[in-house]
Amino acid sequence: MPTSTPHLSSDSDWLGFRRARRAAAAPFFITGLLFASYFVQIPSLKLALDLSEGRLGVFLALPIVSGLIAMQLTGRLVGRFGSGPLVRVTTLALSLALLAFALVRDQVTFGLVLLVFGAVDGLIDIAMNAHAVAVERARHRPVMNSCHAAWSIGAAVGSLLGGAAINAGLSLAQHFVLVAALALLVALITGRHLLPAHADRNALRRRSVARASSWTGWNSRILLLGAAGVLVFVLSGVVGSWSGVFLHEDLGASLSIAALGYICFSLCEAGARLLGDRLHERLGSSTLVRISGLIAVIGLSIVVFSPVPGSAIAGFAILGLGLSVLIPVILSAAGHDGAGAEAANAAAALSKVGTLTYSGQILGPMAVGWFAEAFELRQTFAGLALLFAATLIITLKRCFPDSIRHQRN
């Protein structure tokens, strides 16, 4: 049975929670804003550096690789300094890293800037999720879904600002200066409301984390949560990379109609995340994952059996609703599990799950392409639906004890 809203002793408690929630969401907004701004300028960078499609693909893999490496360090850094202070530093650093693209004059500097940009993103990605877990533990209320919704909102704002800057004839440097200034302003305003270092772990555990090996803490729960996260990212990547191809080539949609698959998916995903924390609080993580997973499987099944573009687009939209809360809930479960462990903190657990899910984001669309070439897209989607359902059923049995509701009881 869902539990009631926890009693808050005064208006200051409500104010404190709202400030903590906004502060926890701010780095997600900033990251989405900065990355969308970078994405919209990739064609300009490709043209300026005279890059072929193949060479550009190699360059675009660099920030992913450096991000994965940096993730392995984040657990120790959070254990030593706390997630709040690390988020403050990395949000400022990521804004400055965006400005470094204005210094790119050749392919060597482009590669170096991408490596730095990706490494800082790897640090902030784990640190801001660890901080969101710390806020959930301190306030006994879920915030992870609204944080990930803030990323989607930041990405939308960044895309719109990028399009406006290009249409206005601004140079890449002018565009990035304006975006970085906005990001720095948000970071400075909200940074003072981030939780202090001791909110993550006590001093004894911080010392144990500092001594722990990067291999410490791998267990069946982490692997199962990572596997579920991999498939969520694979499905999201499939929609982004292959929904238009499926709608156009398999179902005969025009190119403009084919684009609606990803658009509807993204809108439903972002919108559902705005309600995700309320649903998480009311239903608990286990029930929410069951319902969301079922919705996602239904959506993908509609796509598989669709004879016309309209129903397939609806299926992609339903898939977006189902997948929307899963990554936030998976990361929240990993973080709470790590925060309660003896030798690892939330950031250490999140870095491991993040490494796995990040890898899925890289490999998923490519693997789907291989299978689609052998079995066609419709059959590949059907196989993904079965694999996703099986993985989620196994993960549910081991990894979702409704940690937040348990704390409140």
Side-chain angles (χ1 to χ4, degrees), residues 226-309:
V230 165
L231 284 171
V232 173
F233 270 113
V234 167
L235 290 176
S236 299
V238 163
V239 178
S241 302
W242 293 101
S243 62
V245 174
F246 177 73
L247 289 166
H248 178 60
E249 296 186 1
D250 289 51
L251 299 182
S254 66
L255 291 175
S256 59
I257 295 297
L260 290 176
Y262 183 65
I263 292 172
C264 291
F265 171 88
S266 300
L267 290 173
C268 288
E269 183 183 55
R273 280 179 174 172
L274 293 173
L275 302 174
D277 287 332
R278 294 181 184 179
L279 294 173
H280 192 181
E281 188 176 10
R282 179 176 295 275
L283 300 175
S285 57
S286 180
T287 301
L288 182 58
V289 169
R290 284 189 178 91
I291 294 173
S292 300
L294 179 61
I295 292 172
V297 171
I298 290 173
L300 190 53
S301 299
I302 291 173
V303 173
V304 169
F305 292 105
S306 290
V308 295

Side-chain angles (χ1 to χ4, degrees), residues 289-377:
V289 169
R290 284 189 178 91
I291 294 173
S292 300
L294 179 61
I295 292 172
V297 171
I298 290 173
L300 190 53
S301 299
I302 291 173
V303 173
V304 169
F305 292 105
S306 290
V308 295
S311 58
I313 291 169
F316 284 124
I318 293 170
L319 178 61
L321 291 175
L323 295 183
S324 61
V325 301
L326 290 180
I327 283 296
V329 174
I330 286 169
L331 293 176
S332 181
H336 286 288
D337 185 48
E342 290 300 325
N345 65 4
L350 284 166
S351 67
K352 292 173 173 60
V353 173
T355 297
L356 294 173
T357 56
Y358 217 56
S359 301
Q361 191 175 12
I362 303 168
L363 300 175
M366 181 169 43
V368 167
W370 294 337
F371 280 99
E373 188 172 351
F375 302 104
E376 298 184 353
L377 270 175

Side-chain angles (χ1 to χ4, degrees), residues 373-395:
E373 188 172 351
F375 302 104
E376 298 184 353
L377 270 175
R378 193 183 296 270
Q379 286 83 350
T380 302
F381 289 166
L384 279 173
L386 293 174
L387 181 60
F388 175 71
T391 303
L392 213 57
I393 289 170
I394 296 171
T395 305

Side-chain angles (χ1 to χ4, degrees), residues 82-84 131 133-135 137-138 195-202 206:
S83 61
H131 183 265
V133 170
V135 171
R137 293 177 68 83
L195 296 180
H198 63 74
D200 296 279
R201 302 187 57 86
N202 60 39
R206 283 202 301 272

